[in-house]
Amino acid sequence: MGEDGGRKEKDWLTAGDCARVLADVRSPLNSITGLTEALKMMSRDTDLNKVMSLMNRCSIRLAAHAEKTLQFDQICSGGVVLHKESIELGWILMEVCEFLRHAREGVSASLANDNVQLVVELPPNWEKGGPKIEGDSSLVASSLYHVVQNALQYTQKGTVHVSASDTKEWVVITVKDTGVGMDPEQLEKICKPFTKFSSSPLGLGLGLAACHEVFDCHGGSIVVQSVEAEGTTVSMRLPRKCELPKMLDRGPLGFGYYMDTRKKKLGRRDLTKRALGIFAHELRMPLRGMAGLPGKFG
């Protein structure tokens, strides 16, 4: 095994390290959960209570995601354990749109002026939290964050329009923007890992590739249509009921089973670094949204 600063690879990350990271992440999230519950009880402001409910649900979900992700054996194996649960998709979609609308530190920089409007049009049952589907809530939420954030990031003027519909068997979420769009060559590459079409420091170029993986394992699909200089439309389709695999293998490079499986798998040290990097990226978007939301109420 190789050395890194005098430390053996097998000792680079221990179960104790994972436990400490989990405690550091879980503690503030638990505080947010408690504070938002208290504020909901004290306030009679309907809009404020709605925002507190979104923050409360998000903090609970992120704490559960941290608990699931920061398992030492799982990180070292390069796999992702999936948990099937009942998801109220409307709540998650409203969280995504509201948090990205008010996100700070550049996630939704295109909304810093009046040139871009985020328009959300949802059926009445979605605004009440429904419809319910089966799946892994952390993975579904992360995918929705990626798609809406991409639309905001690549739209300099016009609108980002989010809509949804559902039937007895399927739900469909559509994100349509008037951004820079893509030419046919770019469109062909958009769901491949490490594909970025700007010099923005945000993201790894893994967003839509990861989304494709998530929707595929849920039995759904993601379709991207785009015209250069006119905009892009992303249609995401999920079944109400699904059979999830117990685990996804992140592949030889630690990012997903869509990678070339003919390549030699990374060592444990690099797999753990990749897994923690992905986890930090998944936390970044909703936490920045939480940071920006209180400013909405002065």
Side-chain angles (χ1 to χ4, degrees):
M1 291 191 179
E3 299 280 343
D4 184 19
R7 193 176 186 185
K8 291 183 178 180
E9 180 182 359
K10 69 176 182 178
D11 297 323
W12 187 79
L13 185 76
T14 67
D17 294 329
C18 285
R20 283 188 287 273
V21 173
L22 176 58
D24 289 343
V25 170
R26 193 167 48 189
S27 180
L29 289 173
N30 288 342
S31 296
I32 292 171
T33 301
L35 286 170
T36 49
E37 283 288 358
L39 286 170
K40 284 166 59 181
M41 293 176 66
M42 292 187 292
S43 174
R44 295 183 179 180
D45 186 315
T46 303
D47 290 336
L48 176 60
N49 283 339
K50 179 181 178 181
V51 169
M52 290 302 104
S53 293
L54 291 175
M55 292 180 69
N56 183 269
R57 289 171 178 270
C58 181
S59 60
I60 292 172
R61 179 175 55 75
L62 290 178
H65 182 51
E67 187 88 39
K68 178 180 70 175
T69 302
L70 296 174
Q71 296 294 322
F72 181 66
D73 292 340
Q74 177 183 318
I75 289 177
C76 293
S77 72
V80 181
V81 176
L82 303 181
H83 293 268
K84 187 167 77 170
E85 57 199 306
S86 178
I87 305 172
E88 292 182 293
L89 197 56
W91 284 119
I92 289 182
L93 185 56
M94 285 190 289
E95 170 203 315
V96 168
C97 294
E98 195 70 16
F99 282 22
L100 288 180
R101 189 194 300 275
H102 298 284
R104 300 182 63 180
E105 299 184 37
V107 172
S108 295
S110 56
L111 289 179
N113 53 50
D114 295 329
N115 290 333
V116 179
Q117 263 193 314
L118 177 58
V119 179
V120 182
E121 293 184 342
L122 302 179
N125 63 317
W126 287 67
E127 293 181 350
K128 295 178 181 178
K132 290 185 177 181
I133 66 169
E134 292 179 348
D136 187 302
S137 62
S138 296
L139 290 178
V140 171
S142 179
S143 297
L144 294 178
Y145 269 106
H146 279 305
V147 172
V148 179
Q149 181 197 345
N150 271 1
L152 293 170
Q153 183 179 339
Y154 289 102
T155 301
Q156 303 304 316
K157 185 177 181 180
T159 60
V160 173
H161 186 269
V162 180
S163 60
S165 63
D166 58 275
T167 66
K168 290 182 178 180
E169 296 183 349
W170 296 90
V171 298
V172 178
I173 298 171
T174 302
V175 179
K176 183 177 182 179
D177 66 61
T178 57
V180 297
M182 291 173 281
D183 60 36
E185 184 179 352
Q186 290 174 323
L187 188 59
E188 187 177 343
K189 297 177 180 177
I190 192 63
C191 283
K192 294 181 179 179
F194 310 107
T195 299
K196 294 181 69 174
F197 300 128
S198 78
S199 58
S200 169
L202 295 174
L204 301 168
L206 283 164
L208 283 176
C211 294
H212 184 273
E213 174 186 21
V214 169
F215 279 82
D216 182 66
C217 76
H218 280 76
S221 62
I222 178 167
V223 176
V224 183
Q225 298 174 304
S226 188
V227 177
E228 190 173 13
E230 292 186 14
T232 301
T233 300
V234 180
S235 298
M236 296 161 281
R237 189 168 177 257
L238 285 168
R240 284 181 176 264
K241 296 185 178 295
C242 70
E243 292 297 329
L244 282 178
K246 291 183 178 180
M247 177 176 283
L248 288 181
D249 186 344
R250 284 200 184 276
L253 298 186
F255 285 109
Y257 69 73
Y258 44 74
M259 304 299 287
D260 187 350
T261 56
R262 294 171 295 180
K263 294 181 180 178
K264 184 179 179 181
K265 195 164 187 173
L266 292 178
R268 193 172 75 179
R269 178 180 186 276
D270 288 324
L271 280 173
T272 55
K273 288 174 68 175
R274 297 277 173 95
L276 291 175
I278 292 170
F279 175 64
H281 184 68
E282 290 170 342
L283 289 183
R284 177 175 58 87
M285 289 179 282
L287 289 180
R288 286 181 174 176
M290 285 188 187
L293 269 172
K296 176 181 178 180
F297 300 93

Coordinates of all heavy atoms in Angstrom, one line a residue, residues 143-144 147-148 171-175 211 215 221-223 234-238:
S143 N -31.3 15.1 -7.5 CA -31.4 15.2 -8.9 C -32.2 16.4 -9.3 O -31.9 17.1 -10.2 CB -32.1 13.9 -9.4 OG -31.4 12.8 -9.2
L144 N -33.3 16.7 -8.5 CA -34.1 17.9 -8.8 C -33.3 19.2 -8.6 O -33.4 20.1 -9.4 CB -35.3 17.9 -8.0 CG -36.4 16.8 -8.3 CD1 -37.5 16.9 -7.3 CD2 -36.8 16.8 -9.7
V147 N -31.0 19.7 -11.7 CA -31.6 20.1 -12.9 C -32.1 21.6 -12.8 O -31.8 22.4 -13.8 CB -32.8 19.2 -13.2 CG1 -33.6 19.8 -14.4 CG2 -32.4 17.8 -13.6
V148 N -32.7 22.0 -11.7 CA -33.1 23.4 -11.6 C -31.9 24.3 -11.5 O -31.9 25.4 -12.1 CB -34.1 23.6 -10.4 CG1 -34.5 25.0 -10.3 CG2 -35.3 22.7 -10.5
V171 N -45.4 10.3 -12.6 CA -45.3 11.7 -12.4 C -44.3 12.3 -13.3 O -43.3 11.6 -13.7 CB -44.9 12.0 -10.9 CG1 -46.0 11.5 -9.9 CG2 -43.6 11.4 -10.6
V172 N -44.5 13.5 -13.8 CA -43.6 14.2 -14.7 C -43.3 15.6 -14.2 O -44.2 16.3 -13.9 CB -44.3 14.2 -16.1 CG1 -43.3 15.0 -17.1 CG2 -44.6 12.8 -16.7
I173 N -42.1 15.9 -14.2 CA -41.6 17.2 -13.8 C -40.8 17.8 -15.0 O -39.9 17.1 -15.6 CB -40.7 17.2 -12.6 CG1 -41.5 16.7 -11.4 CG2 -40.1 18.6 -12.3 CD1 -40.6 16.4 -10.2
T174 N -41.2 19.0 -15.4 CA -40.5 19.6 -16.6 C -39.9 21.0 -16.2 O -40.5 21.8 -15.5 CB -41.6 19.9 -17.7 OG1 -42.2 18.7 -18.1 CG2 -40.9 20.5 -18.9
V175 N -38.7 21.1 -16.6 CA -37.9 22.4 -16.3 C -37.5 22.9 -17.7 O -36.7 22.3 -18.4 CB -36.7 22.1 -15.4 CG1 -35.9 23.4 -15.2 CG2 -37.1 21.5 -14.1
C211 N -28.1 12.4 -12.5 CA -29.6 12.3 -12.6 C -30.0 11.2 -13.4 O -31.0 10.5 -13.1 CB -30.1 13.6 -13.1 SG -29.8 15.1 -12.1
F215 N -32.7 8.3 -12.1 CA -34.0 8.1 -12.7 C -34.0 6.7 -13.3 O -35.1 6.0 -13.3 CB -34.3 9.1 -13.8 CG -34.8 10.4 -13.2 CD1 -33.9 11.3 -12.6 CD2 -36.2 10.6 -13.1 CE1 -34.4 12.5 -12.1 CE2 -36.7 11.8 -12.5 CZ -35.8 12.7 -12.0
S221 N -37.2 8.1 -16.4 CA -36.3 8.5 -17.5 C -36.1 10.0 -17.4 O -36.9 10.7 -16.7 CB -37.0 8.2 -18.8 OG -38.3 8.8 -18.9
I222 N -35.1 10.5 -18.1 CA -34.9 11.9 -18.2 C -34.6 12.2 -19.6 O -33.7 11.6 -20.2 CB -33.8 12.4 -17.2 CG1 -33.5 13.9 -17.3 CG2 -32.5 11.6 -17.4 CD1 -32.6 14.4 -16.2
V223 N -35.3 13.2 -20.2 CA -35.1 13.6 -21.6 C -34.8 15.0 -21.7 O -35.4 15.9 -21.1 CB -36.4 13.3 -22.4 CG1 -36.3 13.7 -23.9 CG2 -36.8 11.8 -22.4
V234 N -35.9 20.1 -19.9 CA -35.6 18.8 -19.3 C -36.9 18.2 -18.7 O -37.6 18.8 -17.9 CB -34.6 18.9 -18.1 CG1 -34.2 17.6 -17.5 CG2 -33.3 19.6 -18.7
S235 N -37.2 17.0 -19.2 CA -38.5 16.3 -18.8 C -38.1 15.1 -18.0 O -37.3 14.2 -18.5 CB -39.3 15.9 -19.9 OG -39.8 17.0 -20.7
M236 N -38.5 15.0 -16.7 CA -38.2 13.9 -15.8 C -39.4 13.1 -15.5 O -40.4 13.7 -15.1 CB -37.6 14.5 -14.5 CG -36.2 15.2 -14.7 SD -35.8 16.3 -13.4 CE -36.8 17.7 -13.7
R237 N -39.3 11.8 -15.6 CA -40.5 10.9 -15.5 C -40.2 9.9 -14.5 O -39.2 9.2 -14.6 CB -40.8 10.3 -16.9 CG -42.1 9.6 -17.0 CD -42.4 9.3 -18.4 NE -43.6 8.5 -18.6 CZ -43.6 7.2 -18.9 NH1 -42.5 6.6 -19.1 NH2 -44.7 6.6 -19.1
L238 N -41.1 9.7 -13.5 CA -40.9 8.7 -12.4 C -42.1 7.9 -12.2 O -43.2 8.5 -12.2 CB -40.5 9.4 -11.1 CG -39.1 9.9 -11.0 CD1 -39.0 10.8 -9.7 CD2 -38.1 8.8 -10.9

